[in-house]
Amino acid sequence: MSKKKPSPSTIAVNRKARHLYELSDFMEAGISLTGPEVKSVRAGKVNFIDSYVDFRNGQALLLSLHIAPYANAGYAPQDPDRPRVLLLHKGEINRLAAQTAQKGLTVVPVKLYFSRGKIKVEIALGRGKKLFDHRESLKRRAAERDAAREMA
């Protein structure tokens, strides 16, 4: 049984987001990083735990994305959990902010990857799953696994 490997351009995947949320409306966004942060991301030192997107002053901010400090950065201080600005069009920001405010949805980062030499973040609208939704998805996954085992 072989697991599907991420493409070479994929840096990190937020697998917990698919477990905790029903995801829809995926979107690509650029991310504003400093030089040492880019080096650390290239090394794969990224952690998505509890990260989400918040909207303040007409900007989309990625909060709680932990990028470990780069070891050879020199004397410049690095904050691993600082808010990072997402690069989106104003209309996209307004639409996402309105949906999160009205419907009780959350915008979560799903994947961090390279696209034409730039680091991009895939974000998605997520609605929190209830306990019975978790159980249902586990049952469905087990049934699919059993069916695949029967076919092989």
Side-chain angles (χ1 to χ4, degrees), residues 7-26:
S7 66
S9 64
T10 300
I11 301 165
V13 177
N14 188 358
R15 293 182 8 212
K16 191 136 187 165
R18 294 200 185 273
H19 179 71
L20 295 175
Y21 299 98
E22 294 174 18
L23 299 177
S24 64
D25 199 16
F26 291 85

Side-chain angles (χ1 to χ4, degrees), residues 86-107:
L86 291 182
L87 307 174
L88 292 165
H89 292 285
K90 185 190 255 185
E92 293 172 334
I93 292 172
N94 292 338
R95 183 175 56 84
L96 288 172
Q99 287 179 331
T100 56
Q102 291 176 355
K103 299 179 184 176
L105 299 173
T106 304
V107 179

Side-chain angles (χ1 to χ4, degrees), residues 10-78:
T10 300
I11 301 165
V13 177
N14 188 358
R15 293 182 8 212
K16 191 136 187 165
R18 294 200 185 273
H19 179 71
L20 295 175
Y21 299 98
E22 294 174 18
L23 299 177
S24 64
D25 199 16
F26 291 85
M27 186 180 298
E28 179 181 86
I31 183 169
S32 177
L33 297 172
T34 62
E37 286 177 338
V38 172
K39 295 269 193 174
S40 193
V41 166
R42 285 188 181 276
K45 309 280 188 197
V46 180
N47 194 343
F48 281 108
I49 302 277
D50 297 334
S51 61
Y52 63 99
V53 177
D54 194 18
F55 302 97
R56 298 181 195 156
N57 302 328
Q59 289 185 328
L61 298 174
L62 183 58
L63 303 174
S64 300
L65 177 71
H66 182 85
I67 298 177
Y70 184 60
N72 300 324
Y75 62 88
Q78 301 174 54

